[in-house]
């Protein structure tokens, strides 16, 4: 791939990344409720899911995604149920003056796994890559350099946008320090989590 191809591919991915989807809403809600570190780990999980889809698309294994349709469906519903469960817990949380701290109810690894499941629960992502790559690369002559370059581009394009969303959520949270404001934040984050989980579950 030439530098021009890489730049054009980055532009296409970046434009898609800016449009908020279930993954972005999940990152925002997780950062609101549990802090930047856990939101960041969710972004890492989402990126790992992108890596898997990129490999499937580049090496002509999209048929595997169809064979694994049941598995993808199972993952989708598991991730949807988990998001809804997190949201309900946030909606039920009562905040006091002593409790205005970042919630630590979930480990970093759990958030990474959640991000991965959210992405894998959306197998349409592989169709995006399958449709996009032929315009930028000869899929019959993929080199290790091409694979590495595309993964890095995806990491920067999608990762940078998701991190920006997480930082915006963190900044908004820091501006609201009173118990009443924290309660509103929890209810907002909880509503986003539940809504995102429902969207993941019902999305065809």
């Amino acid at each position: 791939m030439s530098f021009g191809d890489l730049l054009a591919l980055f532009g296409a991915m970046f434009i898609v990344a800016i449009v908020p989807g279930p993954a972005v809403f999940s990152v925002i809600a997780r950062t609101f409720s549990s802090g930047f570190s856990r939101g960041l780990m969710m972004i890492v999980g989402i990126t790992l899911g992108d890596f898997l889809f990129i490999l499937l698309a580049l090496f002509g294994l999209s048929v595997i995604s169809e064979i694994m349709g049941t598995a993808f469906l199972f993952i989708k519903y598991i991730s949807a149920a988990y998001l809804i469960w997190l949201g309900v817990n946030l909606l039920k949380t009562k905040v006091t003056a002593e409790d205005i701290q970042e919630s630590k109810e979930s480990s970093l690894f759990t958030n990474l796994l959640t991000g991965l499941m959210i992405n894998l629960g959306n197998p349409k992502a592989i169709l995006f890559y399958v449709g996009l790559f032929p315009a930028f690369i000869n899929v019959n002559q993929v080199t290790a350099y091409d694979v590495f370059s595309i993964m890095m581009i995806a990491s920067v394009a999608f990762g940078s946008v998701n991190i920006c969303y997480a930082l915006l959520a963190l900044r908004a949270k820091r501006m609201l320090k009173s118990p009443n404001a924290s309660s509103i934040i929890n209810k907002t984050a909880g509503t986003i989590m539940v809504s995102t989980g429902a969207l993941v579950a019902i999305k065809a």
Side-chain angles (χ1 to χ4, degrees):
M1 297 180 70
S2 67
F3 178 77
D5 291 333
L6 294 174
L7 191 61
L9 182 59
F10 171 80
M13 289 185 175
F14 187 78
I15 291 173
V16 172
I18 292 176
V19 181
V24 169
F25 291 131
S26 298
V27 168
I28 291 173
R30 175 46 76 196
T31 304
F32 255 133
S33 63
S34 301
F36 181 72
S37 62
R38 282 159 174 74
L40 182 61
M41 290 308 293
M42 184 173 282
I43 293 171
V44 172
I46 292 168
T47 303
L48 290 177
D50 276 322
F51 285 175
L52 176 59
F53 285 139
I54 288 170
L55 290 173
L56 288 173
L58 283 176
F59 293 103
L61 299 180
S62 57
V63 65
I64 291 181
S65 70
E66 296 181 15
I67 296 174
M68 294 177 61
T70 302
F72 279 128
L73 193 64
F74 177 75
I75 292 172
K76 180 177 81 167
Y77 287 127
I78 288 295
S79 61
Y82 183 63
L83 288 173
I84 292 173
W85 178 76
L86 288 175
V88 170
N89 280 344
L90 286 172
L91 290 172
K92 291 166 59 178
T93 300
K94 294 182 179 180
V95 181
T96 64
E98 291 77 22
D99 293 333
I100 308 177
Q101 300 292 333
E102 292 181 351
S103 172
K104 304 298 184 185
E105 81 286 353
S106 58
S107 68
L108 295 176
F109 178 75
T110 298
N111 285 281
L112 184 150
L113 192 60
T114 301
L116 178 61
M117 288 197 305
I118 290 171
N119 210 358
L120 292 184
N122 180 26
K124 284 188 175 181
I126 193 176
L127 299 180
F128 165 74
Y129 290 119
V130 168
L132 183 68
F133 289 159
F136 301 96
I137 183 174
N138 184 348
V139 293
N140 294 319
Q141 297 180 356
V142 179
T143 66
Y145 168 78
D146 292 329
V147 174
F148 177 78
S149 298
I150 292 172
M151 284 184 170
M152 291 303 99
I153 287 174
S155 298
V156 175
F158 291 104
S160 62
V161 170
N162 285 333
I163 288 174
C164 286
Y165 277 120
L167 289 174
L168 287 173
L170 186 64
R171 183 174 182 180
K173 179 178 179 178
R174 286 177 175 172
M175 294 173 63
L176 303 169
K177 287 292 187 180
S178 69
N180 184 53
S182 295
S183 179
I184 293 174
I185 287 174
N186 280 345
K187 285 180 169 52
T188 300
T191 301
I192 292 174
M193 279 286 193
V194 172
S195 300
T196 302
L199 179 62
V200 169
I202 65 176
K203 193 173 182 181

